[in-house]
Amino acid sequence: MLLDSLMDGNVKLSQAHLIVVSDAQRIILMNISHPILRIMTDFYAKILDGPRIFATVTSAPERWASLDLTRLEIAFRAQSFFLATKAADSWYGPLELVVEYDKYNPQEADDELTSRVRDTDPGGLLLRSKHFRTARRILQELGLLAVDLYWKHVLDELCSSTTDGDESDLRKKLSQLRASLPNRTLVATYGSSSCNASPKLAKLLEVLSAYEGHGTDFRGIVFTRDRGVARILAEILGLPHAGLSFIRPIAFYQRKSNEANHELELYRAFEEGRHNLPVLTRCNEDVEIPQASTIISFNLFEDHLTYAYCHARSKGRHSHLVHMIERGNNEQRRVLNHVETIDADLRGWIAGFAQGSTNAIPPRSLYMSLDPRVDDGAEGEDQEYMLDPTTSACLYKPDAEAAFYRFVATFEQQAVWNQGTSSISLEENDSTRYRCTVTPPKGIGIPDIVGPSCFTKAQAKREALYRACQECVRMGYMDYRHFPQPPWYSDDPHSEARGSAQEVQTANTSAGTHGYPRKSPDFWANSSKYPVSTLYPTVVVPDSLGGESHAPVVILTRAPLPQIPNFLLFFAGARATAHFYKGAPFEASPVQLQALRGYTIRVVRSLTNKPFDCPAESLLCFFAPLAPSWQPLSGAPGFLGAQLRVGEHIPWDSVQLTADYFAVPLWSSLTSLDDSARDAVVQDRNVEFTMRHFLVKVRHDLTPLSKVDDSPREAEYPNFLEYCKARRKDFEGLEDEKQPMIEVSAVPGVLNNLHPMSAPQTPPAKAPLKYLIPELTYKFTIPASTFRTLWLIPSIMTRIDSYLLVKELDARLFHLSIHEQQLLVALSTRAAWTESNYERLEFLGDAFLKVVASNFLYVTMPSAGEGALHNARQGIIGNKILHECATRVGICPYIQHKRFVPKLWQPPHTPDAPPTGAQSQQQQHQSREAAKDGEDVDEDVEMADAESSESNGPKGKQKRSKKQRQMDGQNTLWMGDKARYPTDAQHIVADVVEAILAAAFLSGGHEVALRAAKRLHIPLPNVAQWTDFARIAAEHPTAQHAHPSVVDLRPDTVEAVQTVVGAIFSRPALLAQALTHGSAFGGTEGASYERLEFIGDAVLDFLVARHIFERHPHLSPGGLTLLKGAMVSNRALAAFCVHAGLHRHLVHSSDQLANAIAKYVEALEARRAREYELATRENRLPGQYWLDLPMEPPKCLSDVVESVIGALYVCDSFFEVGVGRFFDAVFKPFMDAHVRLQTLSANPKVTLLELLQAEGCQQHAVVKIPQERQNAPVHMEGECMHAVQIHGQVVASATDLSAAIATRKVSLAALDALANDPELLARICDCGSGESKKQHQRQQSSIKSDEVMQDEEAEAAEVEEAMEAIEEGEL
């Protein structure tokens, strides 16, 4: 009956206050949808503030074990509770209450004391930045009185010490300041002019006063985030004028992890009542203490483990758990909702945990934030910790439990060899001592970890878990994903934010060119803190590149390198995947270490062909070959590879040989030539820095006395021997003139192998070396298969650095919420010259940001018109704003904008190594190289350098050499306004921000992308989750209130439009507004579709962008933009409006508009019929028939499509439920049937040129190829052949009798080629790299030179003919 009344509209669910459902267990037993479930899905889900639901379930006790209430919880959006226990040991959590307090925004001017303290010690001699950070937090949390108390404690501690010199004078000043401070009393009356307590503190006092009736029986616990706040809060609660005489508070925080006596004393004091309200921090959430009747969460923690400890410290259903949140703070509302959303497995684990069960490892649904439990007030103390080399995060003992749980969850999610589960067990040695045993996952091969004997269970567990983490870190299993991450930035302007904005330089030559500090991975700097004797292997195994074999090579790092994903490498059109396998760490002896040093130096010197030397202690990684006996474990996950004992497979004799000698004679009487030539690299002289060659094969058919035709080098000589006699200095002849020759091929110079266009440099003009005499040849001590892999090492190490930076940024700023590969692409610009860049992601991220900004402005500016909304949106999505956000957060140094320069590559090493003789030689060599021509990677950027100008005078502004610019570019990242990258730095950084949002969306959907936007400081205040848009809209006055006049639609109109869109409008008034043109009100004020069109435009833009992005996964950004522009253009939307019939329901009062619509519809239908007839006749798909219309469509037709989408979107609380169905079922099929790359324009050549221009390609043309007479049998007489050339390469060709038709055919063929081959343009176009322009200029210069020479030769020939004619005439 209720369902029928709701469907008829006689009853509205929003009018109800409570729904009671009895025997709810019957609902889930029905095969068809129960009416109650239909009420929940069709009506309850579509209102914001629905009535509360109370459902009862009746079941026999013997069926309780099998009773599953999950479906009912989901359907009713409720939580199940048992009145009768399921078992004797069942646990009921405490009654959870939410207490709201008013927002508090104290100004720095109000905190007079902090300003006086800062002025007393302006240089920070005694007062550090952490003191002021703590003062700022205390002010925000507790108010002005608390700040006074804090500074009194700080000044007392500083003045109690005695020192000499400047500190002594400063301490006297601080002592005088301390003596002048008055003793103030607490005034917690909020709103009073003398109030010195924050609203949060005042609310806490109010909550505690409610327990005054408990008297001496009261037991409570307060959890705070910060130890400084805990200390002052406990002091304030104990003040006589606080009005809480029954409260005996104490602030508990352990300064030393081994101070168990303090913990035991707290237990006894709390049990006896000497202290009945301890104030704890998360650092001490595991402290053993009797259960309390009241748990107050003074700060919210987005952490299920902390939530479980709150339950464990309570007395169950006979106690309270109070959450304090700021009124109207949607971020805190989101955190609370996240913490309290738990599944059945997690609920069961929390129940066992609260009752003292420590054996069970929590389920994977346990969420633990990466926020550290140890605040910055304790980080400077002498505490043991582990350092994560990737992110520089510290793991203290209080964080060990959460870190271990995160590690186990990661292992269970990825491991396929898991042979058992983890566990934690406690045993009691005697009545006062405990020992904990931790069992790691069996699949990793780490035995049980037994902790030390401790006085308390909590300390025993903490010590054992910390040891387990140490072992997992030592073995390379636990990494940055499991470490807590300190805050990336701080709201305190005086704090030293880790991600704070760096100084941005501006070039003198261009205001659009900015220089940002270039970030280097923290991994290598932290590696220097590890002992050099312990090495962590990472094996690199490239696939065959160019048909040649590549042997595995191991990278040995001093710190455990995190798992690196496989990636592609390129060379001369070929590609290969580099695979990575981690190995078990091993100890290297001093002899082995020196051998590895020598081998690594030999590799670097042979790759760069330059001097390089470095002591072993300064090298941060080593390279080594692997014996053929090494094989990766088949099917092993990457992080399980640490079980591989790589050290046992390193051929130490070969390593030592390479370290001692760069080459040995190839010709030897001890081994056959065929054996020596196998897998060999050779050189024709016994010097280290020279050209090397791969030995192709032994030519037994040739001897030094032979002459060959395929080696131009020896063409002028009768044989190889004579060539050697003539060209080799001090040549004394051969021992065997009949020995076989060897055929070789040159080893190319080291290249950038990260881009598909990677290719060897232009070969020298002189003839290449092809044959060598073995007796005069030397064999390089590194085998060819190994050297081919080492030849890729510079590019591999560069890409590893990129991944290290991405891992660092993802963990620190985004808390591992973005997929690393997506984030790397988002940070890579076109100038980086890598396989992928951010441009496709920027296309999607731009549309997503537009939706987010439109949602925010629509709900926060309910009375603003479309023009005001557009202007306000630019204040959120504009390039300037996004650049400011990125600079403030510190994203810019992570952007990959620098092209890898192989000539400058060196292995990671500490820069402070003392220069050796070889290094001095290296510096001299680099000075000589500075004058030579090389790879021009960064054009000259003139900077304002005062010191250089002063020291060098007028010469200070001279143009720097290319080598100097390249070296300077290693530390500074210059972006913007260059000839090769015609985009300013502001635009580039803004594009990167949008690409990051797209990467976040692809990684986790709307919520993850919204969280990324918040972390990037995009101005979206008080929006923490997607549901906040609907919540804010409900709290603000609606547009209907501002414009009450809304037209009434006929019932058949509502039904007809709902039939078209395939969804129900839960708010028919919004549909009426969406269909109402401004003329409908006859000049009076009313609600037209303008605001809904504003938000609908953004939603449609995003839906189309996402559809094109997913449908064309390899289409270039230019093609994506062209397709989206065609689908959302006014012409396309107007045609769709007529196709869907929405124009019939438009409400207006303009005869002129009615006539314009009628004329347009008539012309459009005629053109549509003609296009479909032609498509059928030509056996093709129809195109955009609306493009050929001579008239522009009435704009209201496209507007109404967007406004209807906007209305449906708002009706669904800003979710894409109904809009998505409409888009998938109606809009997308229509556009896909008509809009394609080939139909973007009536002239395919125009589309092709627009696409190539959008991609930045500057060298392309559609050319006519002349046909020779002898080709007539192949092509019909008179046929025209046209081709599309990009950078001189033909990508498509077509012939036809008509030149126009041939052009059309070849353009369509080129569009097909570009759409079907995603890397075609990337392979042949390098306009973005800057090299193409220079090559083109050189080609043009060469062509002009050839033309001049031809003209001069022709002129000379004419003159000679004229002279001959004159002479003949004279004779």
Side-chain angles (χ1 to χ4, degrees), residues 146 233 406 550:
L233 177 59
R406 279 192 289 265
H550 290 69

Side-chain angles (χ1 to χ4, degrees), residues 671-973:
T671 58
S672 66
L673 178 60
D674 290 312
D675 292 338
S676 298
R678 188 175 296 112
D679 195 24
V681 176
V682 297
Q683 54 193 62
D684 62 348
R685 64 197 68 188
N686 191 20
V687 294
E688 183 174 9
F689 302 112
T690 183
M691 286 287 295
R692 294 182 176 86
H693 299 78
F694 292 116
L695 199 157
V696 178
K697 58 182 175 181
V698 178
R699 294 293 299 267
H700 291 279
D701 57 329
L702 299 177
T703 69
L705 301 177
S706 302
K707 181 175 177 59
V708 293
D709 298 329
D710 57 348
S711 181
R713 191 181 69 148
E714 299 89 2
E716 300 178 1
Y717 300 91
N719 53 51
F720 295 108
L721 183 58
E722 295 300 325
Y723 172 83
C724 293
K725 292 179 180 179
R727 302 298 297 270
R728 291 182 69 94
K729 186 178 180 180
D730 299 330
F731 180 69
E732 298 178 356
L734 299 175
E735 295 182 5
D736 184 2
E737 297 182 354
K738 296 184 179 181
Q739 58 184 292
M741 299 290 292
I742 56 174
E743 184 178 343
V744 298
S745 63
V747 174
V750 62
L751 299 175
N752 182 344
N753 301 104
L754 302 177
H755 193 273
M757 288 191 65
S758 173
Q761 299 177 356
T762 304
K766 63 180 182 180
L769 189 153
K770 188 173 182 179
Y771 298 101
L772 287 175
I773 300 174
E775 189 178 333
L776 304 178
T777 305
Y778 297 87
K779 179 180 179 180
F780 190 44
T781 51
I782 299 179
S785 57
T786 302
F787 191 70
R788 290 190 188 97
T789 303
L790 292 171
W791 184 78
L792 300 170
I793 279 294
S795 296
I796 290 174
M797 296 299 295
T798 301
R799 179 48 62 95
I800 287 177
D801 283 352
S802 298
Y803 274 112
L804 289 174
L805 285 174
V806 166
K807 292 173 185 292
E808 183 180 328
L809 181 65
D810 192 24
R812 285 182 175 181
L813 180 57
F814 301 109
H815 282 194
L816 305 175
S817 60
I818 303 180
H819 192 277
E820 290 177 357
Q821 183 60 39
Q822 296 285 3
L823 185 56
L824 175 60
V825 175
L827 292 170
S828 301
T829 70
R830 193 170 185 176
W833 214 64
T834 54
E835 178 189 3
S836 303
N837 58 60
Y838 67 66
E839 291 179 340
R840 274 181 56 88
L841 289 177
E842 183 270 333
F843 167 81
L844 181 62
D846 174 77
F848 176 81
L849 182 59
K850 184 178 177 181
V851 168
V852 174
S854 301
N855 288 355
F856 175 75
L857 296 173
Y858 182 86
V859 300
T860 57
M861 301 174 62
S863 59
E866 183 183 11
L869 292 173
H870 274 289
N871 292 334
R873 188 166 63 189
Q874 281 303 116
I876 298 177
I877 67 175
N879 289 342
K880 182 179 179 181
I881 300 298
L882 298 182
H883 178 264
E884 291 176 356
C885 295
T887 305
R888 186 185 312 119
V889 175
I891 289 291
C892 299
Y894 289 86
I895 297 177
Q896 305 293 299
H897 189 73
K898 190 73 176 177
R899 182 175 177 177
F900 166 52
V901 185
K903 291 183 178 181
L904 300 181
W905 177 80
Q906 289 183 348
H909 61 284
T910 55
D912 55 351
T916 62
Q919 286 176 312
S920 300
Q921 182 184 2
Q922 175 187 0
Q923 295 171 1
Q924 297 172 6
H925 183 81
Q926 290 180 346
S927 300
R928 293 192 301 268
E929 287 290 319
K932 296 181 181 179
D933 256 347
E935 187 177 358
D936 188 10
V937 179
D938 193 8
E939 58 207 54
D940 184 45
V941 180
E942 296 291 344
M943 298 184 301
D945 191 342
E947 295 181 0
S948 177
S949 300
E950 293 176 1
S951 60
N952 299 333
K955 297 182 180 180
K957 292 186 179 180
Q958 289 182 351
K959 187 175 180 180
R960 297 168 297 153
S961 68
K962 178 171 27 181
K963 194 74 174 182
Q964 290 172 333
R965 298 197 306 272
Q966 292 176 345
M967 297 303 295
D968 292 344
Q970 302 304 304
N971 299 319
T972 303
L973 196 64

